[in-house]
Amino acid sequence: MSSCLPNPETFLETNRMNLAKRLLSSFAITELEKLFLTKLAWRFGNCSTMKSEAMLRDYLYSQENRLIDFQGNFSVLYLTSANWPTSPSFSSLSLPVEIKDCYEAFHRMHDDRFPSRKLQWIHSLGNVQLNVRWGKTKSVFTIETDPVRGSLLS
């Protein structure tokens, strides 16, 4: 299949963007991702998959070293900015009170633990699950979206 591609760089960059989406939405199966990256490295060379491999390492490190988890409601992934696709940060985003409390507690804990590291929040990455009741029904619907849209819906 890869021999039919007119521009392998476009394929590799598209794959990197899709890998980022899979890792951030927790749909990735890390063993399969490792296997696929190994095959890409064999076909296109090790240099072509370095950033994707670093993204996978960031994800695995974050999974192994969860620093804080507020009763399953808030968790954080550490991402090395040089390896991940660029995204708008929405620094002026107004967070809901429940999330803002978790955000500030994590920021304090991170600054105490890593005083020399700069923490930058990228709200456009990740996901939010909202449990919604519609009208007078007893049914609860779960909506999964990105944090920017989630802050608008809350």
Side-chain angles (χ1 to χ4, degrees):
M1 177 178 96
S2 60
S3 61
C4 299
L5 297 172
N7 188 353
E9 289 81 23
T10 304
F11 171 77
L12 291 168
E13 187 60 27
T14 303
N15 178 64
R16 192 167 76 94
M17 297 293 285
N18 290 332
L19 175 63
K21 289 177 186 176
R22 287 191 304 273
L23 291 175
L24 293 173
S25 66
S26 300
F27 289 123
I29 300 171
T30 54
E31 293 304 317
L32 292 177
E33 299 295 351
K34 286 180 190 178
L35 180 63
F36 187 64
L37 288 176
T38 302
K39 290 185 181 219
L40 286 178
W42 177 79
R43 175 67 180 103
F44 296 109
N46 288 336
C47 292
S48 63
T49 60
M50 285 175 34
K51 285 189 176 185
S52 295
E53 290 170 358
M55 287 168 50
L56 191 56
R57 279 194 306 273
D58 282 351
Y59 175 78
L60 293 172
Y61 174 81
S62 293
Q63 295 299 317
E64 293 169 2
N65 298 294
R66 292 263 166 151
L67 295 179
I68 199 164
D69 190 358
F70 289 95
Q71 301 160 353
N73 295 325
F74 184 81
S75 61
V76 176
L77 291 175
Y78 278 106
L79 309 176
T80 307
S81 61
N83 301 324
W84 288 76
T86 57
S87 299
S89 66
F90 297 102
S91 59
S92 62
L93 182 68
S94 178
L95 297 172
V97 175
E98 300 84 5
I99 295 176
K100 193 169 189 166
D101 292 342
C102 295
Y103 169 90
E104 290 171 354
F106 183 84
H107 214 295
R108 285 190 302 273
M109 186 276 312
H110 178 272
D111 289 346
D112 290 343
R113 190 168 178 184
F114 305 109
S116 63
R117 294 185 188 172
K118 180 185 174 206
L119 184 63
Q120 178 183 3
W121 292 89
I122 302 178
H123 299 291
S124 59
L125 298 176
N127 58 5
V128 173
Q129 287 185 345
L130 301 171
N131 295 325
V132 180
R133 278 202 182 101
W134 190 264
K136 296 179 182 178
T137 64
K138 294 182 180 180
S139 300
V140 176
F141 301 97
T142 301
I143 299 172
E144 186 168 325
T145 184
D146 63 272
V148 175
R149 289 182 185 95
S151 67
L152 294 172
L153 293 172
S154 63

